[in-house]
Amino acid sequence: MDVYRTRPGTGPAFSGGSLETRTLETLITRDYDSRPALVYERLRAKYGPVAPVDVLGVPFWLALGYAEVLEVLRNQRGIWSKRLADWPAWTEGRVPEDWPLRPALAVDHIVFQEGGRLRDLRAAYHEALKPYQDPAHAQARRLRQVITRYADELIDVMSEGGPTGWADLSAQYARPLPLMVVGELLGVQGDGGDEVLMDMWRVLDAGPDSAAALDRLLAALGELGAARMARPQEDMPSYLLAAHPGLTVDEMSRELMMIVGVTGDYTGVLIGNTIAEVITANPEVRASLSAGMIRETVNRVAMLNPPMANLTFRCPSVDVRLGDVTIAAGEPVMLSVAAAHADPAFAAGRGTDAMFSSRAHLAWGAGPHDCLGRELATTIVTIAIERLFERFGALALTLPADQLPWRSSPLMRGLRSLPVRFELAEQGRPAGPAGAAAAPAQPVRERQEAPRSALWRFVRGLRRQR
């Protein structure tokens, strides 16, 4: 079988389908990393709502139009599939083994299921998430307290040196906080679960040790699933198994990996993007934030700067017209949520300065694959934002906004670093040398004596390295 290979000046070589006759546009470039909106608009101007692109050496159609993205997401005709088995290039071995996105797809969890399998898994996830997303449930109330405590602990670490200083709100807050929450959901905080959290970090960081970390993480999650099969507890793996007892250990490891990736990465990116949006906006916007407005702030950021800028892929089972082109059966289509939100047909219907943004955005998906954990993710982000802006009286970027470093990814749009100077609000100062009068002695002793995870110690080490 031929494998897709990029040839300088000619784009990938491949056979079959209408993509064969197209000159592909390279998607991941320096322009895309720094100003993806300009790339989307250039593609829209040249091709209309659907463009042929090269995604790191593999050809895709990129849906840019709001109507086109929504049509595929809703899949009302039942012709669009996310199953790897329905992507001929994958099954025929024409996707390179070293394609950077291959590991994320090869895990093959709920995200890449269709039909009855998808419905069964979604029903199980609905039941497993209910204790955490139903405000009346004791688990949901407890989780809110846990998220608040973790947020405050991370803020305490950042401010150990005094009421003013410098911090990287990506590495020291937005990224570790959701992973700590994931550890709580999976029941791996303490009791040997430290390395699981650290391997989550390594996998999401996509560094040179990420492949080995992924193998260890899947093995550890498989062991966790097997342990919960033998002895259920009050945690999400146990709830998932209770709702879908037919899951095998291998299937459990892959589903738990999905929870790690979505909750740990998507939520962390949304926290960072929201912080950046608030800091760079009119100061009165930040000053006016209240508990009731924070959810709308998060909603607006999800629309303006969605964490998953481009969704993975869908393949049609038949030739289908989408926008101005015909997509051949089996050709992959990547859906650009970020481009859809910038589509004049959608953007013209809302004002960017409106207090309340449109709920029609697609950052949480739509149709059969819409996000089941939207309420959980929103809870984590809103608490993170609320605690940060209550504890800090002033936050200012140490770089111009247009020089912030963004991750180079065809899927996620998140910051690699969010460097700020901070000043604690008087009521937000922790007890101890940096603010001895901030809290009574007994709670402070309890907090200081609590066991600390490896992830917490790692974040604390980041501060000491400055």
Side-chain angles (χ1 to χ4, degrees), residues 14-366:
F14 63 100
S15 60
S18 57
L19 275 172
E20 183 179 6
T21 61
R22 304 283 178 159
T23 299
L24 303 179
E25 302 281 347
T26 301
L27 181 64
I28 307 303
T29 62
R30 286 188 178 181
D31 286 345
Y32 178 85
D33 289 344
S34 60
R35 300 288 296 278
L38 296 182
V39 174
Y40 297 140
E41 290 314 301
R42 178 176 58 80
L43 291 173
R44 196 193 314 275
K46 185 173 181 179
Y47 296 99
V50 181
V53 298
D54 172 319
V55 181
L56 301 174
V58 175
F60 280 83
W61 292 106
L62 182 67
L64 305 159
Y66 179 87
E68 287 73 21
V69 171
L70 182 59
E71 176 185 339
V72 178
L73 285 174
R74 284 179 172 169
N75 195 18
Q76 293 177 328
R77 295 172 56 191
I79 64 171
W80 295 97
S81 173
K82 289 178 64 85
R83 293 174 66 245
L84 292 169
D86 294 327
W87 183 12
W90 182 277
T91 59
E92 295 169 7
R94 291 184 286 123
V95 175
E97 289 292 331
D98 58 354
W99 188 46
L101 294 184
R102 191 180 182 96
L105 274 58
V107 177
D108 199 21
H109 41 56
I110 184 176
V111 171
F112 302 104
Q113 307 302 320
E114 296 291 350
R117 175 69 174 169
L118 176 63
R119 289 190 294 272
D120 290 347
L121 282 172
R122 283 181 65 87
Y125 270 99
H126 177 76
E127 292 301 315
L129 285 165
K130 187 184 297 182
Y132 304 104
Q133 299 198 125
D134 181 356
H137 200 287
Q139 282 281 58
R141 294 194 297 270
R142 180 181 178 277
L143 186 64
R144 292 185 65 89
Q145 295 172 351
V146 168
I147 298 168
T148 302
R149 173 165 60 86
Y150 287 156
D152 282 335
E153 287 179 351
L154 291 172
I155 293 169
D156 288 351
V157 168
M158 287 187 284
S159 57
E160 279 183 342
T164 61
W166 176 94
D168 181 346
L169 291 181
S170 176
Q172 294 175 269
Y173 191 70
R175 294 192 66 199
L177 176 58
L179 286 179
M180 295 165 78
V181 177
V182 168
E184 190 73 26
L185 294 172
L186 299 186
V188 298
Q189 291 283 29
D191 298 328
D194 285 357
E195 273 308 306
V196 175
L197 293 180
M198 291 306 300
D199 276 336
M200 291 179 193
W201 181 289
R202 296 178 183 112
V203 169
L204 296 179
D205 201 42
D209 56 351
S210 61
L214 176 60
D215 290 340
R216 290 193 303 267
L217 182 55
L218 285 171
L221 293 175
E223 291 177 6
L224 174 63
R228 295 303 184 263
M229 289 176 184
R231 188 178 179 182
Q233 298 186 16
E234 295 297 320
D235 56 27
M236 192 170 176
S238 301
Y239 299 151
L240 188 61
L241 282 166
H244 199 316
L247 287 171
T248 66
V249 170
D250 178 63
E251 289 169 340
M252 271 295 291
S253 69
R254 287 186 269 123
E255 297 308 323
L256 295 179
M257 183 64 212
M258 189 280 298
I259 296 170
V260 170
V262 174
T263 307
D265 202 17
Y266 187 100
T267 306
V269 169
L270 185 52
I271 292 172
N273 289 359
T274 303
I275 295 170
E277 174 73 13
V278 173
I279 292 176
T280 56
N282 187 307
E284 294 180 4
V285 174
R286 191 187 74 202
S288 67
L289 286 177
S290 65
M293 294 174 60
I294 292 175
R295 292 179 72 89
E296 182 51 39
T297 301
V298 173
N299 182 64
R300 180 171 181 265
V301 173
M303 178 178 63
L304 296 176
N305 194 7
M308 184 163 280
N310 300 313
L311 307 181
T312 49
F313 73 91
R314 271 82 167 164
C315 296
S317 57
V318 296
D319 293 1
V320 61
R321 190 75 176 173
L322 188 68
D324 300 327
V325 300
T326 296
I327 310 295
E331 289 186 339
V333 178
M334 181 175 283
L335 306 179
S336 181
V337 171
H341 290 175
D343 184 346
F346 173 74
R350 60 175 175 82
T352 57
D353 297 327
M355 179 69 75
F356 293 95
S357 61
S358 169
R359 294 301 199 278
H361 70 71
L362 304 175
W364 302 104

